[in-house]
Amino acid sequence: MAVQFLKHVALAIPEADCDKAEEFYTNFGLELRRRGDLMAFACKGSRYDAVILVPGANRKQLHHVAMGTDEGGLAWIKQRLALEEIPLLDAPECIDAHEISENRIWFRDPHGVLFQVAVCPPEKAPAPEPQFLINSPGHFNRVDVGALPPKSDIADVCPRKLGHALLFTPSISGSIRFLTDVLGMRLSDRSEDAVAFLHCQGGSDHHVLALGSSHDIGFHHASFMVGSPDDVGVGGQRMVDKGYGPSWGFGRHAIGSNFFHYIRDPWGSYAEYYADIDYIANSDTWEAQNWPIEDSLHTWGPNPPEDFVHNYEAG
Ligand SMILES: [Fe+2]
């Protein structure tokens, strides 16, 4: 089944940005795990780091994307890489010492994005939580109780898992072909040549990797599942109140259906809170749609910042 989940994304950053990076991600709700010279941020209780920062770069850039699989998946991907004549690479030394899996490979996609695929157990599933109940015409699902406690009683918003990342690519179609033919992902939906969304086979969120059009590669956002639409709203508002921005949200995507609030990170890319994303149980029966371009961003919510889709990593 090839790749099964997104393990982490790694960004190279300037040494001088370490303090503001730590402040940003810990305020967002992730916990800092120091890995030697690296800074890693993870959802509390998770098996894997979600965002790994590699200090020492001249400017922030996507360092690599790591995906998890099993022995069979790795063997399949190795075959596909060989067919495409894509060479395996040595592991970056800075990452290698801190990884859990012994059995992993490194390679670049046709546009230069560095990938790691590792044999490793899946991330722990977030613990089940009380259902998010709403009343609607003909349905009294929440009875004799209010929806929210006083604002001051609402706990800190904790991301439950790394859900997906969106990468810039100079060729949406070329990257779709690579992710499907070589990594075994499936196309969920796309909007012309502006954006595309891919999932893993075997039961997956609507998107695990997403692609945005640019003239170069780059990292646009990492997205984290929270407990409910209220968590998206509260988490986003609290980040705005702490001075982060410009943000984009609260709103809802049509493609994938998720509620969202994007918070701008220190480099002009984003960390996203999301809730209620579509789940694709069977890739073979899911039919990918090509959505009108006006649906590519959102269905409702404020307009995004003007530079929301600008690739600040592009030279
Ligand atoms: Fe997203």
Side-chain angles (χ1 to χ4, degrees), residues 1 37 90 93 140 148 151 153 164-165 189 202 232 289 298:
M1 284 199 297
D37 294 338
D90 291 337
E93 268 181 39
F140 293 110
L148 291 171
K151 206 186 287 188
D153 289 351
H164 63 266
D189 286 302
V232 176
Q289 291 183 57
H298 69 322

Side-chain angles (χ1 to χ4, degrees), residues 2-3 65 67 69 71-90 103-118 175 177-184:
V3 291
V65 178
M67 311 288 295
T69 188
E71 295 283 356
L74 188 72
W76 188 87
I77 290 166
K78 281 181 170 174
Q79 264 184 0
R80 306 301 300 185
L81 288 166
L83 277 173
E84 303 271 336
E85 299 183 349
I86 296 174
L88 298 183
L89 305 173
D90 291 337
N103 194 0
R104 54 187 181 268
I105 58 173
W106 294 83
F107 51 90
R108 289 189 187 274
D109 81 358
H111 308 298
V113 176
L114 181 62
F115 277 89
Q116 177 206 88
V117 175
S175 290
R177 198 194 75 75
F178 176 80
L179 294 174
T180 54
D181 288 1
V182 180
L183 298 191

